[in-house]
């Protein structure tokens, strides 16, 4: 115990390295201590949600890393907070799990009081409240997507600072930076459920191909009036594009 | 013995079980709360009607003194942009209810990021009012309230009594002449009535139920929250109020001098 304690304190500050997104390790860090032994679990991630008439399609990759080690290559980053409301989680695995647990509790109480299913906007507002009020402590980028009877399908993006933006589609996570162009070029209003599903899978596949922190399988969830349908696309069946 | 009997008779059926809201009678009644209900009805009548496109509230404001500045005694209040409340009974009590209602609506907006649905506001305010029937150190509110709201689910009309009991209504009346008003309201067709029509109907009813002998003059106060007001609760426009008063008066005269057929001796 004493030895590992020494080792831990010899290197540079753990959290400076892991909390900053996209920071390359120094030579000392890479060779000095194995960061994957102690680093916080992060979801480098590519996440996405697209609204269509009558519902939403949510998608995510499945890679959770502790430093450079892939702790879980089949993670499920699509988390339910209510019957027809899901969130896509990126950033710190612990932070996003904690926040979505709290939101699930609040939505449970709220829907019991209301006597009806909560609105997606309400779930998004809860996420925003937690992410903004605790912005200094959290590292959580969340996309909320779901269906409710007032607004139909809707997508809300809550990036790091705790802003809340409703969008027809939203992308997030470290992998999303590589697919802004693709998404802008290929998104169309009023796509069908299947067109949206294909759009999500193609976009995530491209992100996973370029981002080291994203990979594995593509998990998707389609939410509409009738409920949630979940899909899994194995890594060897991902749509392929230019590969030299 | 006889004086004791007399006292108990004169005290009414309450007789000893009506001193505190925290005492049940042998029949299981809470007399203080029932008395609070009587206090709540001791003022001009208030009426609410839920229409196809909104809710209309109307109050018969009895003018106690000619010295009063017109419009000074408000009986209808806006509690949230999309919700309003009409009071009867002890108005100071009622205004407390309005204040806490405003707080609830504001808190909800801050926490949930959206306007409080009518039925939630109704639940909250009913719980608040009911709280005061449970403790020895406080007394029940001597005021009944009618809550009008317009949210995503459409128009909502609720009435909360001093006991904290509340229901949703298509039309409701509280105050002095509530029984007469209720009978009149039953004639309305709620499947087709619009807010404008309801304004006129309520004016007619209030003019009709007003007791000229007991109370001298009254002032009509009307508000609505409907499609025409863009979902905002506000007092009806001046010209509409003038027309409502005119219609109310005309209808009353027509009633009084209407049918000659019964004048047979």
């Amino acid at each position: 115990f004493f030895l590992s304690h020494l080792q831990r304190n010899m290197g540079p500050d753990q959290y400076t390295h892991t909390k900053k997104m996209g920071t390359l390790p120094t030579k000392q860090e890479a060779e000095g201590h194995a960061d994957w032994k102690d680093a916080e679990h992060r979801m480098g991630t590519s996440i996405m949600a697209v609204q269509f008439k009558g519902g939403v399609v949510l998608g995510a990759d499945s890679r959770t890393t502790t430093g450079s080690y892939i702790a879980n290559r089949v993670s499920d980053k699509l988390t339910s907070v209510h019957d027809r409301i899901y969130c896509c989680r990126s950033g710190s695995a612990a932070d996003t799990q904690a926040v979505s647990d709290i939101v699930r509790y609040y939505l449970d109480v709220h829907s019991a009081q209301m006597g009806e299913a909560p609105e997606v906007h309400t779930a998004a507002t809860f996420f925003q409240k937690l992410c903004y009020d605790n912005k200094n402590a959290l590292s959580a980028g969340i996309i909320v997507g779901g269906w409710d009877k007032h607004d139909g399908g809707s997508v809300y993006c809550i990036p790091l600072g705790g802003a809340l933006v409703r969008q027809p589609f939203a992308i997030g996570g470290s992998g999303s930076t590589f697919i802004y162009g693709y998404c802008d070029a290929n998104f169309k209003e009023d796509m069908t459920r299947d067109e949206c599903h294909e759009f999500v899978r193609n976009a995530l596949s491209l992100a996973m191909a370029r981002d080291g922190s994203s990979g594995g399988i593509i998990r998707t969830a389609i939410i509409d009036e009738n409920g949630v349908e979940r899909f899994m696309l194995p890594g060897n069946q991902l749509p392929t594009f230019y590969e030299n | 013995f006889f004086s004791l009997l007399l006292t108990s008779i004169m005290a009414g059926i309450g007789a000893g079980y009506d001193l505190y809201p925290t005492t049940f009678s042998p029949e299981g009644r809470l007399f203080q709360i029932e008395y609070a209900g009587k206090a709540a009805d001791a003022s001009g009548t208030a009426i609410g009607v839920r229409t196809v496109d909104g809710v209309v509230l109307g109050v018969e404001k009895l003018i106690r003194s000619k010295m009063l500045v017109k419009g000074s005694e408000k009986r209808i209040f806006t509690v949230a942009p999309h919700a309003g409340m009409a009071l009867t009974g002890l108005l100071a009590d009622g205004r407390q209810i309005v204040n806490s209602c405003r707080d609830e609506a504001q808190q909800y907006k801050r926490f949930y990021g959206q306007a409080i649905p009518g039925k939630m506001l109704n639940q909250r305010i009913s719980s608040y009012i009911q709280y005061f029937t449970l403790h020895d150190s406080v007394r029940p509110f001597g005021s009944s309230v009618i809550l009008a709201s317009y949210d995503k689910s459409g128009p909502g009309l609720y009435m909360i009594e001093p006991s904290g009991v509340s229901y949703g209504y298509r039309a409701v009346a509280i105050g002095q002449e509530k029984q007469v008003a209720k009978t009149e309201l039953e004639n309305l067709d709620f499947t087709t009535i619009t807010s404008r029509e309801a304004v006129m109907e309520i004016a007619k009813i209030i003019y009709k139920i007003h007791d000229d002998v007991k109370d001298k003059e009254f002032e009509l106060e009307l508000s609505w929250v409907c499609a025409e007001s863009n979902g905002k609760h506000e007092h009806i426009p001046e010209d509409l109020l003038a027309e409502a008063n005119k219609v109310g008066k005309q209808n009353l005269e027509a009633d009084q001098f209407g049918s000659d057929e019964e004048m047979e001796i």
Side-chain angles (χ1 to χ4, degrees):
Chain A
F1 167 78
F2 183 63
L3 211 65
S4 64
H5 184 69
L6 262 181
Q7 277 174 348
R8 209 166 293 166
N9 284 314
M10 259 162 58
D13 180 8
Q14 300 278 321
Y15 295 105
T16 325
H17 163 56
T18 52
K19 270 216 187 279
K20 277 192 200 144
M21 296 255 285
T23 315
L24 292 171
T26 63
K27 195 150 192 269
Q28 192 195 0
E29 284 167 32
E31 291 172 11
H33 65 267
D35 61 353
W36 50 264
K37 281 187 189 164
D38 312 307
E40 190 191 357
H41 276 55
R42 309 222 83 236
M43 298 180 299
T45 305
S46 306
I47 50 173
M48 188 165 169
V50 184
Q51 169 193 327
F52 65 92
K53 196 168 182 180
V56 293
V57 179
L58 293 109
D61 74 308
S62 66
R63 183 171 290 181
T64 306
T65 51
T66 51
S68 52
Y69 172 66
I70 300 174
N72 186 351
R73 62 187 172 98
V74 285
S75 6
D76 186 2
K77 303 180 187 179
L78 302 176
T79 307
S80 150
V81 288
H82 201 78
D83 292 347
R84 282 169 185 67
I85 308 176
Y86 265 63
C87 68
C88 310
R89 300 180 293 113
S90 74
S92 155
D95 287 355
T96 54
Q97 281 177 13
V99 167
S100 58
D101 282 349
I102 294 170
V103 172
R104 188 177 304 116
Y105 163 73
Y106 276 137
L107 283 175
D108 208 13
V109 173
H110 180 60
S111 64
Q113 286 179 343
M114 287 281 284
E116 58 184 51
E119 290 177 29
V120 184
H121 176 81
T122 309
T125 306
F126 286 148
F127 272 110
Q128 184 204 17
K129 200 166 184 46
L130 290 164
C131 290
Y132 177 74
D133 289 349
N134 299 293
K135 63 155 82 189
N136 292 326
L138 290 175
S139 173
I142 290 171
I143 299 177
V144 182
W147 180 93
D148 64 63
K149 70 171 191 250
H150 294 294
D151 291 319
S154 45
V155 170
Y156 294 84
C157 194
I158 301 127
L160 244 44
L164 176 65
V165 184
R166 183 175 175 191
Q167 298 170 302
F169 77 95
I171 54 176
S174 57
S176 68
T177 55
F178 304 105
I179 54 171
Y180 275 99
Y182 176 81
C183 288
D184 286 346
N186 289 284
F187 173 74
K188 300 189 303 285
E189 298 273 2
D190 298 325
M191 285 193 279
T192 65
R193 175 196 166 103
D194 291 331
E195 282 174 338
C196 277
H197 200 191
E198 199 187 327
F199 174 53
V200 167
R201 281 177 160 172
N202 286 342
L204 288 177
S205 184
L206 285 163
M208 285 151 74
R210 287 292 185 177
D211 180 31
S213 309
S214 305
I217 60 177
I218 295 182
R219 292 196 192 271
T220 47
I222 306 185
I223 307 178
D224 62 16
E225 193 178 357
N226 303 315
V228 182
E229 210 181 334
R230 300 219 45 180
F231 301 88
M232 187 274 285
L233 194 60
N236 58 359
Q237 289 175 31
L238 299 184
T240 52
F241 297 86
Y242 169 69
E243 277 165 21
N244 51 346
Chain B
F1 171 71
F2 180 71
S3 64
L4 207 69
L5 186 68
L6 205 66
T7 343
S8 66
I9 292 169
M10 285 167 75
I13 37 176
Y17 300 106
D18 60 351
L19 295 176
Y20 306 104
T22 47
T23 309
F24 281 98
S25 79
E27 304 91 43
R29 290 161 69 171
L30 289 167
F31 283 106
Q32 273 299 307
I33 295 167
E34 293 184 21
Y35 299 160
K38 297 222 190 325
D41 282 333
S43 79
T45 315
I47 295 176
V49 174
R50 193 186 80 181
T51 69
V52 297
D53 63 341
V55 189
V56 184
L57 298 174
V59 178
E60 170 205 16
K61 291 198 303 193
L62 302 171
I63 297 174
R64 307 238 174 260
S65 157
K66 283 196 175 21
M67 305 290 195
L68 279 174
V69 171
K70 189 173 188 291
S72 65
E73 186 193 291
K74 270 178 61 171
R75 296 271 299 277
I76 298 180
F77 298 85
T78 298
V79 293
H82 65 296
M85 194 169 250
L87 316 169
T88 54
L90 302 176
L91 296 183
D93 285 11
R95 278 185 213 121
Q96 272 303 96
I97 298 174
V98 167
N99 281 338
S100 64
C101 206
R102 284 174 174 163
D103 275 342
E104 285 292 344
Q106 205 187 48
Q107 270 179 34
Y108 188 96
K109 180 79 192 271
R110 206 174 310 135
F111 190 73
Y112 292 91
Q114 54 182 255
I116 186 168
K119 70 175 174 186
M120 290 296 276
L121 187 54
N122 174 46
Q123 270 180 24
R124 302 252 176 127
I125 219 64
S126 303
S127 304
Y128 176 74
I129 291 174
Q130 190 277 341
Y131 175 90
F132 291 82
T133 67
L134 268 181
H135 297 272
D136 204 9
S137 51
V138 295
R139 64 165 174 80
F141 286 98
S143 183
S144 289
V145 298
I146 301 178
L147 175 64
S149 71
Y150 194 84
D151 57 46
K152 287 184 193 174
S153 331
L157 177 66
Y158 306 91
M159 191 274 279
I160 308 124
E161 300 167 344
S163 59
V165 160
S166 81
Y167 298 106
Y169 293 89
R170 282 174 293 180
V172 68
I174 47 178
Q176 259 167 226
E177 306 292 333
K178 68 180 186 192
Q179 282 307 121
V180 187
K182 278 184 192 167
T183 319
E184 293 294 324
L185 285 168
E186 276 165 22
N187 296 329
L188 300 177
D189 180 4
F190 298 104
T191 55
T192 57
I193 192 168
T194 65
S195 295
R196 282 204 159 236
E197 287 167 0
V199 165
M200 300 304 154
E201 291 300 326
I202 291 176
K204 283 190 225 167
I205 292 172
I206 288 181
Y207 268 88
K208 204 165 174 183
I209 62 177
H210 177 68
D211 190 339
D212 287 316
V213 176
K214 205 161 50 127
D215 307 299
K216 295 291 156 53
E217 279 187 56
F218 78 98
E219 192 188 313
L220 189 59
E221 188 179 354
L222 282 157
S223 77
W224 63 7
V225 56
C226 57
E228 196 173 326
S229 73
N230 290 318
K232 299 262 174 286
H233 177 261
E234 53 193 32
H235 283 83
I236 61 174
E238 285 288 328
D239 53 340
L240 193 59
L241 181 62
E243 202 191 319
N245 274 304
K246 201 171 87 173
V247 164
K249 275 196 199 94
Q250 277 174 353
N251 188 58
L252 193 65
E253 281 153 23
D255 249 13
Q256 283 171 346
F257 305 108
S259 163
D260 291 321
E261 282 153 35
E262 288 104 319
M263 303 272 268
E264 280 179 35
I265 299 192

